[in-house]
Amino acid sequence: MELALKTWTQIEDYLKSCQTLIIPVGSTEQHGPTGLMGTDFITAFEISKLVGQQAHRLVAPSLNYGMANHHLAFAGSASLNPSTYIQVIKDLVESWKMQGFKNFLFINGHGGNIAPLTSSFSEIKRGDETSKFSLINWWHLKEVQDYETEVFKDENGFHATCGEVSVTQYFCPDAFKNITNVQFKIDRPVTHWPLSATEMKHFYPDGRMASNPGRATSAHGQIIAQLAAAKICDSMKSWGF
């Protein structure tokens, strides 16, 4: 059910019976020494595809760049400013609204996107009585958090987490063939957000935030992705998406 793999006529037919679009959003940023740069958009897109398959809903291509200014001191990271991100979301949604889409489910893989996403929804809804929006940060789902707490205890952390690294290990096994999975010491510095890129690198020099991604496994990733997809599908039914 990927929008990118459909023709415009197939999408027009879809819109005759369903006006829901799933939009995966993530970021291109560092995830510590053993996490992939694309972790946030990979997890969001793969979980979205599971949801699309199970719920028979269209999934848009993922938005692979997000608000990640605090990661820019780490090589390879890229970011949109919050104001730019808000405008990108508004432009995309307005495009799809013109064609008849009304229900927009954003499945998010990056914490830095939350504030600009909700702000963009508020701007779009000004004077709009028909569109519906829902934002799901998949790692915030209770079912996911309960599982991660059970298996990773207090080592999951807040960035380059055991959970998100596990999910990427499951979906992208070849990318980890040349990455050594090691155990990490966990530091918990006291910080005040937001952080600049320089401050982020100072407090978290290898990019991890209170995590030990050495605990990550592909098997855990499969379970976490399935838990997230199942919960999102249940929620969609209750919302009428």
Side-chain angles (χ1 to χ4, degrees), residues 135-153:
L135 170 61
I136 292 183
N137 308 303
W138 69 262
W139 72 98
H140 281 169
L141 294 169
K142 183 178 184 301
E143 291 76 5
V144 170
Q145 291 189 333
D146 286 349
Y147 180 82
E148 291 179 343
T149 298
E150 177 184 352
V151 298
F152 303 129
K153 310 302 181 191

Side-chain angles (χ1 to χ4, degrees), residues 30-52:
Q30 67 83 22
H31 278 77
T34 59
L36 305 181
M37 296 294 294
T39 294
D40 291 344
F41 70 77
I42 291 169
T43 57
F45 188 46
E46 295 298 339
I47 290 171
S48 293
K49 287 196 293 183
L50 290 178
V51 173

Side-chain angles (χ1 to χ4, degrees), residues 43-79:
T43 57
F45 188 46
E46 295 298 339
I47 290 171
S48 293
K49 287 196 293 183
L50 290 178
V51 173
Q53 292 164 6
Q54 295 173 27
H56 305 290
R57 296 292 185 267
L58 270 180
V59 178
S62 62
L63 181 56
N64 294 352
Y65 296 92
M67 204 303 289
N69 286 342
H70 49 294
H71 290 291
L72 292 180
F74 295 88
S77 301
S79 179

Side-chain angles (χ1 to χ4, degrees), residues 26-200:
S27 182
T28 297
E29 64 184 48
Q30 67 83 22
H31 278 77
T34 59
L36 305 181
M37 296 294 294
T39 294
D40 291 344
F41 70 77
I42 291 169
T43 57
F45 188 46
E46 295 298 339
I47 290 171
S48 293
K49 287 196 293 183
L50 290 178
V51 173
Q53 292 164 6
Q54 295 173 27
H56 305 290
R57 296 292 185 267
L58 270 180
V59 178
S62 62
L63 181 56
N64 294 352
Y65 296 92
M67 204 303 289
N69 286 342
H70 49 294
H71 290 291
L72 292 180
F74 295 88
S77 301
S79 179
L80 299 175
N81 275 320
S83 57
T84 305
Y85 191 82
I86 290 170
Q87 192 59 53
V88 168
I89 296 298
K90 289 172 61 180
D91 286 352
L92 293 175
V93 170
E94 292 295 341
S95 299
W96 287 313
K97 282 175 57 181
M98 288 175 60
Q99 299 141 24
F101 287 99
K102 294 182 179 179
N103 304 323
F104 300 94
L105 171 59
F106 284 77
I107 298 180
N108 178 36
H110 173 54
N113 292 342
I114 297 173
L117 278 170
T118 54
S119 295
S120 69
F121 301 162
S122 295
E123 291 199 19
I124 296 167
K125 283 294 291 182
R126 184 173 180 174
D128 181 345
E129 304 298 330
T130 60
S131 301
K132 293 195 295 186
F133 294 88
S134 183
L135 170 61
I136 292 183
N137 308 303
W138 69 262
W139 72 98
H140 281 169
L141 294 169
K142 183 178 184 301
E143 291 76 5
V144 170
Q145 291 189 333
D146 286 349
Y147 180 82
E148 291 179 343
T149 298
E150 177 184 352
V151 298
F152 303 129
K153 310 302 181 191
D154 64 348
E155 295 185 278
N156 197 44
F158 308 103
H159 181 70
T161 67
C162 306
E164 62 183 344
V165 174
S166 291
V167 174
T168 53
Q169 287 179 349
Y170 172 61
F171 285 112
C172 306
D174 288 346
F176 288 88
K177 288 182 177 179
N178 295 319
I179 298 175
T180 302
N181 196 27
V182 299
Q183 300 297 313
F184 292 93
K185 176 185 174 184
I186 296 177
D187 295 316
R188 305 180 192 276
V190 177
T191 59
H192 299 278
W193 287 86
L195 296 179
S196 69
T198 301
E199 290 169 334
M200 177 73 183

Side-chain angles (χ1 to χ4, degrees), residues 6-22:
K6 301 290 185 182
T7 67
W8 76 265
T9 55
Q10 290 174 315
I11 295 169
E12 192 171 70
D13 287 340
Y14 170 87
L15 281 164
K16 293 174 182 176
S17 59
C18 184
Q19 293 78 48
T20 294
L21 184 63
I22 299 170

